[in-house]
Amino acid sequence: MMDRRWLIPAAAGLILLAAGCGSASSGGGNQTVQIPANAQTVHVDATDFKWTLDKTTLQAGVPVDFIVKSDEGAHGFSIAGTNISQLVVQGQPAQHVLWQDPKPGTYTILCDYFCGSGHSQMQATITVK
Ligand SMILES: [Cu+2]
């Protein structure tokens, strides 16, 4: 029972990242967000109904650049206990989501966009230490 399908033609998207350091905006969700040079990178793929991360243990105090895309449908990348929330849609360019100052702990990645029958089970765990 796939409730929603977002059939958006794949477009070769360009995400322009300013290479300089400078100030980074807090929170996530802007395609123009500036990623600090020392950021740790985590690739996140969303499908129905699963988050797949290439790294689940992160270093505290070092900014995290989540590069999030959807391979299936539309999903809301969010981290419980933070203000991070980013819609990702199949066929659209990956979104850079910056977590400026991760504190030690165990965090749950959730989907905050209703995506279908498995929505509430769409969780993953990351550890910051
Ligand atoms: Cu969902």
Side-chain angles (χ1 to χ4, degrees), residues 51 75-79 84-87 110-114 119:
W51 297 109
H75 301 281
F77 175 80
S78 71
I79 302 176
I84 289 173
S85 175
Q86 175 63 52
L87 180 68
L110 303 168
C111 179
D112 64 3
Y113 178 87
F114 184 77
H119 170 68

PDB file of all heavy atoms in Angstrom, residues 51 75-79 84-87 110-114 119:
ATOM      1  N   TRP A  51      15.848   4.667   6.848  1.00  0.00           N
ATOM      2  CA  TRP A  51      16.980   5.565   6.656  1.00  0.00           C
ATOM      3  C   TRP A  51      18.243   4.717   6.546  1.00  0.00           C
ATOM      4  O   TRP A  51      18.488   3.863   7.387  1.00  0.00           O
ATOM      5  CB  TRP A  51      17.144   6.502   7.845  1.00  0.00           C
ATOM      6  CG  TRP A  51      16.013   7.437   8.089  1.00  0.00           C
ATOM      7  CD1 TRP A  51      15.121   7.389   9.126  1.00  0.00           C
ATOM      8  CD2 TRP A  51      15.643   8.570   7.309  1.00  0.00           C
ATOM      9  NE1 TRP A  51      14.222   8.424   9.026  1.00  0.00           N
ATOM     10  CE2 TRP A  51      14.522   9.159   7.919  1.00  0.00           C
ATOM     11  CE3 TRP A  51      16.154   9.150   6.144  1.00  0.00           C
ATOM     12  CZ2 TRP A  51      13.896  10.304   7.412  1.00  0.00           C
ATOM     13  CZ3 TRP A  51      15.537  10.282   5.635  1.00  0.00           C
ATOM     14  CH2 TRP A  51      14.423  10.847   6.265  1.00  0.00           C
ATOM     15  N   HIS A  75      10.232  12.146   2.205  1.00  0.00           N
ATOM     16  CA  HIS A  75      10.429  11.857   3.623  1.00  0.00           C
ATOM     17  C   HIS A  75      10.967  13.092   4.333  1.00  0.00           C
ATOM     18  O   HIS A  75      11.575  13.956   3.712  1.00  0.00           O
ATOM     19  CB  HIS A  75      11.405  10.681   3.800  1.00  0.00           C
ATOM     20  CG  HIS A  75      10.937   9.431   3.126  1.00  0.00           C
ATOM     21  ND1 HIS A  75       9.975   8.610   3.668  1.00  0.00           N
ATOM     22  CD2 HIS A  75      11.255   8.894   1.930  1.00  0.00           C
ATOM     23  CE1 HIS A  75       9.737   7.603   2.838  1.00  0.00           C
ATOM     24  NE2 HIS A  75      10.502   7.746   1.768  1.00  0.00           N
ATOM     25  N   GLY A  76      10.765  13.123   5.631  1.00  0.00           N
ATOM     26  CA  GLY A  76      11.241  14.248   6.421  1.00  0.00           C
ATOM     27  C   GLY A  76      12.374  13.806   7.325  1.00  0.00           C
ATOM     28  O   GLY A  76      12.158  13.077   8.294  1.00  0.00           O
ATOM     29  N   PHE A  77      13.581  14.256   7.001  1.00  0.00           N
ATOM     30  CA  PHE A  77      14.750  13.907   7.819  1.00  0.00           C
ATOM     31  C   PHE A  77      14.749  14.788   9.059  1.00  0.00           C
ATOM     32  O   PHE A  77      14.824  16.016   8.965  1.00  0.00           O
ATOM     33  CB  PHE A  77      16.022  14.139   7.005  1.00  0.00           C
ATOM     34  CG  PHE A  77      17.300  13.927   7.773  1.00  0.00           C
ATOM     35  CD1 PHE A  77      17.789  12.656   7.995  1.00  0.00           C
ATOM     36  CD2 PHE A  77      18.017  15.009   8.263  1.00  0.00           C
ATOM     37  CE1 PHE A  77      18.968  12.458   8.690  1.00  0.00           C
ATOM     38  CE2 PHE A  77      19.210  14.810   8.963  1.00  0.00           C
ATOM     39  CZ  PHE A  77      19.684  13.529   9.178  1.00  0.00           C
ATOM     40  N   SER A  78      14.650  14.167  10.218  1.00  0.00           N
ATOM     41  CA  SER A  78      14.699  14.966  11.441  1.00  0.00           C
ATOM     42  C   SER A  78      15.429  14.182  12.516  1.00  0.00           C
ATOM     43  O   SER A  78      15.521  12.954  12.464  1.00  0.00           O
ATOM     44  CB  SER A  78      13.293  15.348  11.911  1.00  0.00           C
ATOM     45  OG  SER A  78      12.616  14.219  12.400  1.00  0.00           O
ATOM     46  N   ILE A  79      15.973  14.910  13.472  1.00  0.00           N
ATOM     47  CA  ILE A  79      16.686  14.289  14.580  1.00  0.00           C
ATOM     48  C   ILE A  79      15.985  14.707  15.859  1.00  0.00           C
ATOM     49  O   ILE A  79      15.891  15.912  16.160  1.00  0.00           O
ATOM     50  CB  ILE A  79      18.165  14.718  14.612  1.00  0.00           C
ATOM     51  CG1 ILE A  79      18.848  14.353  13.290  1.00  0.00           C
ATOM     52  CG2 ILE A  79      18.888  14.051  15.795  1.00  0.00           C
ATOM     53  CD1 ILE A  79      20.298  14.827  13.199  1.00  0.00           C
ATOM     54  N   ILE A  84      16.487  20.071  13.798  1.00  0.00           N
ATOM     55  CA  ILE A  84      16.787  19.659  12.428  1.00  0.00           C
ATOM     56  C   ILE A  84      15.569  19.000  11.803  1.00  0.00           C
ATOM     57  O   ILE A  84      14.987  18.068  12.371  1.00  0.00           O
ATOM     58  CB  ILE A  84      17.994  18.709  12.417  1.00  0.00           C
ATOM     59  CG1 ILE A  84      19.257  19.501  12.737  1.00  0.00           C
ATOM     60  CG2 ILE A  84      18.118  17.981  11.076  1.00  0.00           C
ATOM     61  CD1 ILE A  84      20.489  18.664  12.932  1.00  0.00           C
ATOM     62  N   SER A  85      15.180  19.499  10.657  1.00  0.00           N
ATOM     63  CA  SER A  85      14.048  18.956   9.924  1.00  0.00           C
ATOM     64  C   SER A  85      14.203  19.361   8.466  1.00  0.00           C
ATOM     65  O   SER A  85      14.341  20.541   8.158  1.00  0.00           O
ATOM     66  CB  SER A  85      12.737  19.515  10.487  1.00  0.00           C
ATOM     67  OG  SER A  85      11.645  19.085   9.701  1.00  0.00           O
ATOM     68  N   GLN A  86      14.223  18.378   7.600  1.00  0.00           N
ATOM     69  CA  GLN A  86      14.420  18.678   6.183  1.00  0.00           C
ATOM     70  C   GLN A  86      13.634  17.698   5.321  1.00  0.00           C
ATOM     71  O   GLN A  86      13.847  16.490   5.406  1.00  0.00           O
ATOM     72  CB  GLN A  86      15.916  18.600   5.824  1.00  0.00           C
ATOM     73  CG  GLN A  86      16.210  18.785   4.353  1.00  0.00           C
ATOM     74  CD  GLN A  86      15.807  20.171   3.856  1.00  0.00           C
ATOM     75  OE1 GLN A  86      16.194  21.177   4.434  1.00  0.00           O
ATOM     76  NE2 GLN A  86      15.000  20.227   2.811  1.00  0.00           N
ATOM     77  N   LEU A  87      12.774  18.231   4.491  1.00  0.00           N
ATOM     78  CA  LEU A  87      12.050  17.396   3.540  1.00  0.00           C
ATOM     79  C   LEU A  87      12.983  16.984   2.407  1.00  0.00           C
ATOM     80  O   LEU A  87      13.727  17.811   1.876  1.00  0.00           O
ATOM     81  CB  LEU A  87      10.857  18.164   2.972  1.00  0.00           C
ATOM     82  CG  LEU A  87       9.993  17.424   1.960  1.00  0.00           C
ATOM     83  CD1 LEU A  87       9.238  16.287   2.631  1.00  0.00           C
ATOM     84  CD2 LEU A  87       9.024  18.384   1.285  1.00  0.00           C
ATOM     85  N   LEU A 110      14.287  10.458  12.764  1.00  0.00           N
ATOM     86  CA  LEU A 110      12.881  10.184  12.519  1.00  0.00           C
ATOM     87  C   LEU A 110      12.486  10.703  11.145  1.00  0.00           C
ATOM     88  O   LEU A 110      13.206  11.495  10.539  1.00  0.00           O
ATOM     89  CB  LEU A 110      12.018  10.909  13.560  1.00  0.00           C
ATOM     90  CG  LEU A 110      12.279  10.603  15.019  1.00  0.00           C
ATOM     91  CD1 LEU A 110      11.548  11.621  15.890  1.00  0.00           C
ATOM     92  CD2 LEU A 110      11.822   9.199  15.351  1.00  0.00           C
ATOM     93  N   CYS A 111      11.316  10.277  10.726  1.00  0.00           N
ATOM     94  CA  CYS A 111      10.683  10.889   9.559  1.00  0.00           C
ATOM     95  C   CYS A 111       9.556  11.778  10.068  1.00  0.00           C
ATOM     96  O   CYS A 111       8.684  11.302  10.797  1.00  0.00           O
ATOM     97  CB  CYS A 111      10.144   9.816   8.617  1.00  0.00           C
ATOM     98  SG  CYS A 111       9.326  10.512   7.165  1.00  0.00           S
ATOM     99  N   ASP A 112       9.604  13.059   9.747  1.00  0.00           N
ATOM    100  CA  ASP A 112       8.540  13.953  10.208  1.00  0.00           C
ATOM    101  C   ASP A 112       7.624  14.406   9.066  1.00  0.00           C
ATOM    102  O   ASP A 112       6.963  15.429   9.153  1.00  0.00           O
ATOM    103  CB  ASP A 112       9.105  15.149  10.980  1.00  0.00           C
ATOM    104  CG  ASP A 112       9.974  16.052  10.122  1.00  0.00           C
ATOM    105  OD1 ASP A 112      10.106  15.796   8.906  1.00  0.00           O
ATOM    106  OD2 ASP A 112      10.522  17.022  10.676  1.00  0.00           O
ATOM    107  N   TYR A 113       7.617  13.617   8.020  1.00  0.00           N
ATOM    108  CA  TYR A 113       6.688  13.872   6.916  1.00  0.00           C
ATOM    109  C   TYR A 113       5.944  12.577   6.652  1.00  0.00           C
ATOM    110  O   TYR A 113       6.584  11.547   6.368  1.00  0.00           O
ATOM    111  CB  TYR A 113       7.461  14.311   5.667  1.00  0.00           C
ATOM    112  CG  TYR A 113       6.570  14.554   4.472  1.00  0.00           C
ATOM    113  CD1 TYR A 113       5.969  15.788   4.272  1.00  0.00           C
ATOM    114  CD2 TYR A 113       6.324  13.533   3.548  1.00  0.00           C
ATOM    115  CE1 TYR A 113       5.138  16.013   3.188  1.00  0.00           C
ATOM    116  CE2 TYR A 113       5.494  13.752   2.461  1.00  0.00           C
ATOM    117  CZ  TYR A 113       4.910  14.987   2.282  1.00  0.00           C
ATOM    118  OH  TYR A 113       4.085  15.201   1.217  1.00  0.00           O
ATOM    119  N   PHE A 114       4.616  12.619   6.748  1.00  0.00           N
ATOM    120  CA  PHE A 114       3.881  11.358   6.608  1.00  0.00           C
ATOM    121  C   PHE A 114       4.083  10.769   5.215  1.00  0.00           C
ATOM    122  O   PHE A 114       3.766  11.400   4.207  1.00  0.00           O
ATOM    123  CB  PHE A 114       2.389  11.549   6.881  1.00  0.00           C
ATOM    124  CG  PHE A 114       1.673  10.236   6.828  1.00  0.00           C
ATOM    125  CD1 PHE A 114       1.771   9.347   7.891  1.00  0.00           C
ATOM    126  CD2 PHE A 114       0.978   9.850   5.701  1.00  0.00           C
ATOM    127  CE1 PHE A 114       1.147   8.112   7.834  1.00  0.00           C
ATOM    128  CE2 PHE A 114       0.353   8.611   5.630  1.00  0.00           C
ATOM    129  CZ  PHE A 114       0.442   7.745   6.700  1.00  0.00           C
ATOM    130  N   HIS A 119       5.510   4.735   8.021  1.00  0.00           N
ATOM    131  CA  HIS A 119       6.077   6.021   8.456  1.00  0.00           C
ATOM    132  C   HIS A 119       6.615   5.987   9.881  1.00  0.00           C
ATOM    133  O   HIS A 119       7.742   6.398  10.142  1.00  0.00           O
ATOM    134  CB  HIS A 119       4.991   7.091   8.304  1.00  0.00           C
ATOM    135  CG  HIS A 119       5.319   8.392   8.918  1.00  0.00           C
ATOM    136  ND1 HIS A 119       6.321   9.214   8.436  1.00  0.00           N
ATOM    137  CD2 HIS A 119       4.785   9.039   9.990  1.00  0.00           C
ATOM    138  CE1 HIS A 119       6.374  10.309   9.185  1.00  0.00           C
ATOM    139  NE2 HIS A 119       5.471  10.216  10.123  1.00  0.00           N
TER     140      HIS A 119
END
